[in-house]
Every structure is written in structure tokens, then in C-alpha cells.
């Protein structure tokens, strides 16, 4: 059967290849579609990822699949997605079913780290890792993985903010890629006043949710801070460590900033002295990072996506701007809209 295979340490080794059909025990899935993101691009460029066996790895961590035969509590035809990160088997977080908080780093991740992904026709999955997709959500279920990342981030922000009396009224989302846009929609669903900012001149998708869109080419974020008097929550979803550091200065009293973008470039970034040494302390501000998602975030993600689809059906359909077959993976990797997917089965 066909699969999208790469050699993680070897740049541009990604190719469609023939791989053996799975024979292990579990739920047999036929993969319908996989979303691609910056992680897939980075693995493909040789910057990230760990092989699953030998030197190779099947890509794909944002899955939508259909159950092929009855068993393990699932029925043929059920739509499902699957978690990405799996237990390291030797830390208390993983033991408690929270590999998203793994303390060793020895976890595996589908399509990223030591475990083959979903960009292949058939996969056998552990039933405990499957997340049912509501039938009404249909192909939009392919957005479950990035949505689970945003759900976790917001859940953690609410926990951190809620350590003291706090009201989340006004949020800023920096970045208009999949994570930024999905965060915008989740916060709008919760009735939060949202500003979404990115370099693009405009974003119909952001405004369709009722968020206010800010082009940072016209209005620098520091100016927005002055105009609005700051934000209770900042979600920073851009691959730029300087922008991440700046988010501490965009908060108002008791504000929480969450970092979701990735920027591994070796560099020094600067932070305003009084923002760190004065405001962060006198105003009880927090800056934190979040990765991956707990099973509860996956369940919340599919429920939220379904509610978002009911409220903004056309906008949700517009999230996936490019759907191509497996052999056109290079186009999907190069896509700069919100989300591109690889279609394995219509
Ligand atoms: Zn991804
Ligand atoms: Zn662990």
C-alpha cells in the first residue's frame, strides 16, 4: 500500500513509497485524509523527527480515518481521529494518562517521533487512542489535531489565570495560521472579545468569527496595547521568539500569555526591562508554553469543532484551502493558507 515516507535526518527524502500492510492487533482504519503543518515541513527538511524503524518514518499526525471492521467497541464506518503522543512508560505524567505533560521526553509521537504516522492507506490503532468524530463534522474532523492543541492551551491558560480572581474578557491571538485561526474561533465560541493579528493585510476568516482583525504591518502590537489597554489573554502562534517575548508586555493586570509557535533559531531576543522587572510582578502576569494535548482536549476539540461548524458553517469549510492526493505532497507543504490536507480516500 502507498504511504508518505521520509528519512527524518535527510533533507528532501520525502516520497510516496510502497509499505507493507499493517498486521498488528487493534482497530483497522482506512485513512481518509491527513492535515499537514509546519512540523511535517520541518521533518521533510531534515530538521526534526525521529525514525520509526531503520531510518524511515511514515509522516502524518493530523488524521481522519474510517473504521474498517467492527471490534474493540467501534463499528465499521465510524469516523475517528487518533491522539499523536504516546506514553514513555516511565514517568508519573504518562502513568496518569497525560503524555502531553511527559517528564522524560521519551514519548513517541505518530508521524513525528519513533512511531509511524497516518499518511498511508491503512493503519492499525490502539482503541484507547481513538477519538470518535461526530458524523455531522464529516471531513472537518481532519482539524481535530490542531484544535486539540488550542483546547489544551486555553484550558491551561484558564487554570493559570484562575489561580486568583480573574476575568477573561479580552484576548489577542497573534498569527492567522491554523492554530491562530482555530484559537480565534474557540475563544469566540466562548464569547470572548477577540483581536486576531498577523502580517496579512486582511483576514475574512478572522472577521467571520466576530473577531477584530489587525494587520501588524499597519498597527504594530505595541500600539494595539496602548489602544486597548492590554489583554487578559495573549495566544502567540507565530514562529518568532521575539514576538513571543513581546507578548508579556501586551498583557493587562493578571494577564496570561501562552506560546504555541515554534522558533528554534539560535538567537538572542530582547525584552523590555520594566515589563519583566516591574509590570510582570506588580500585575501578576504569566508567560507559559504549551505543547500537544490530553485526551480530554481531543474530546473537547471535536465537540467545539462541531459547535463552530453549526454556528459558522461556511467559514469552517474554508479552513481547509487545499486538498491534494498523496503524490502532490510538495504542494501541500508549500501551501501558505490556513490548512492543506492530503486526501487518501474520497
Ligand atoms: Zn500538525
Ligand atoms: Zn512520560
Amino acid at each position: 500500500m502507498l504511504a508518505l515516507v521520509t528519512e527524518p535526518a535527510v533533507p528532501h527524502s520525502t516520497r510516496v513509497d510502497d509499505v507493507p500492510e499493517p498486521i498488528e492487533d487493534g482497530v483497522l482504519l482506512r485513512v481518509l485524509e491527513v492535515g499537514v503543518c509546519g512540523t511535517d515541513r520541518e521533518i521533510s527538511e531534515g530538521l526534526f523527527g525521529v525514525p520509526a524503524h531503520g531510518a524511515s518514518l511514515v509522516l502524518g499526525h493530523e488524521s481522519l480515518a474510517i473504521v474498517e471492521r467492527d471490534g474493540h467497541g467501534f463499528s465499521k464506518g465510524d469516523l475517528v481521529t487518533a491522539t499523536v503522543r504516546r506514553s514513555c512508560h516511565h514517568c508519573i505524567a504518562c502513568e496518569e494518562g497525560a503524555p502531553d505533560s511527559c517528564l522524560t521526553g521519551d514519548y513517541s509521537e505518530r508521524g513525528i517521533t519513533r512511531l509511524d504516522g497516518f499518511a498511508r492507506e491503512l493503519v492499525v490503532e490502539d482503541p484507547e487512542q481513538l477519538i470518535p468524530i461526530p458524523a455531522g463534522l464529516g471531513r472537518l474532523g481532519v482539524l481535530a489535531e490542531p484544535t486539540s492543541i488550542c483546547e489544551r492551551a486555553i484550558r491551561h491558560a484558564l487554570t493559570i489565570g484562575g489561580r486568583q480572581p480573574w476575568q477573561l474578557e479580552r484576548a489577542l491571538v497573534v498569527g492567522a495560521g491554523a492554530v491562530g485561526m482555530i484559537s480565534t474561533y474557540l475563544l469566540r465560541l466562548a464569547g470572548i472579545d477577540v483581536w486576531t493579528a498577523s502580517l496579512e493585510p486582511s483576514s475574512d476568516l478572522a472577521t467571520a468569527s466576530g473577531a477584530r482583525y489587525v494587520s501588524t504591518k499597519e498597527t504594530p502590537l505595541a500600539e494595539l496595547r496602548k489602544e486597548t489597554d492590554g489583554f487578559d489573554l495573549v495566544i502567540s502562534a507565530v514562529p518568532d521568539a521575539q514576538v513571543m517575548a513581546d507578548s508579556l508586555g501586551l498583557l493587562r493586570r493578571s494577564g496570561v500569555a501562552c506560546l504555541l509557535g515554534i522558533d528554534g533559531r539560535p538567537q538572542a531576543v530582547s525584552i523590555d526591562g520594566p515589563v519583566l522587572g516591574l509590570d510582570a510582578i506588580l500585575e501578576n502576569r504569566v508567560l507559559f508554553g504549551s505543547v500537544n494535548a490530553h485526551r480530554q482536549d481531543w474530546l473537547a476539540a471535536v465537540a467545539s469543532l462541531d459547535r463552530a461548524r453549526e454556528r459558522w458553517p461556511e467559514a469552517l469549510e474554508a479552513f481547509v484551502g487545499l486538498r491534494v492526493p498523496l503524490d502532490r505532497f510538495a504542494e501541500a507543504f508549500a501551501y501558505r493558507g490556513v490548512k492543506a490536507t492530503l486526501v487518501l480516500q474520497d
Side-chain angles (χ1 to χ4, degrees), residues 30-34 64-66 79 139 342-346:
R30 183 165 295 278
V31 178
L32 301 179
E33 195 162 338
V34 292
L64 176 68
I66 192 163
L79 274 180
R139 304 296 288 219
L342 301 171
V343 176
L344 288 107
Q345 168 116 1
D346 285 319

Side-chain angles (χ1 to χ4, degrees), residues 88 91 94 102-104:
C88 76
C91 86
C94 288
C102 179
L103 294 165
T104 65

Side-chain angles (χ1 to χ4, degrees), residues 49-60:
V50 182
H53 39 73
S56 73
L57 176 76
V58 175
L59 282 169

Side-chain angles (χ1 to χ4, degrees), residues 35-40 60-62 84 112 145-146 149 178-179 339:
V36 304
C37 73
T39 302
D40 300 294
H61 57 278
E62 305 182 3
V84 174
I112 303 171
E145 195 275 342
I149 303 296
V179 167
K339 180 58 69 185

Side-chain angles (χ1 to χ4, degrees), residues 21 24 47 61 89 99 105 135 161 172 185 191 209 251 261 268 273 303 307 316:
E21 293 200 1
E24 59 274 35
L47 302 171
H61 57 278
H89 301 291
L172 170 66
Y185 274 71
S209 75
L251 298 172
R307 283 171 54 219
L316 262 283

Side-chain angles (χ1 to χ4, degrees), residues 40-121:
D40 300 294
R41 270 194 296 275
E42 283 195 0
I43 297 171
S44 218
E45 285 164 13
L47 302 171
F48 200 62
V50 182
H53 39 73
S56 73
L57 176 76
V58 175
L59 282 169
H61 57 278
E62 305 182 3
S63 64
L64 176 68
I66 192 163
V67 174
E68 269 288 278
R69 55 176 175 248
D70 297 350
H72 302 279
F74 290 88
S75 305
K76 182 174 162 65
D78 286 351
L79 274 180
V80 293
T81 185
T83 67
V84 174
R85 189 183 284 187
R86 310 296 162 82
S87 172
C88 76
H89 301 291
H90 60 99
C91 86
I92 54 159
C94 288
E95 259 169 47
E96 287 181 23
D100 53 320
S101 304
C102 179
L103 294 165
T104 65
D106 296 339
Y107 50 76
S108 52
E109 290 174 324
R110 281 279 197 197
I112 303 171
T113 312
R114 291 185 277 272
L115 206 55
D116 279 332
F118 298 99
R120 49 182 159 153
E121 293 172 85

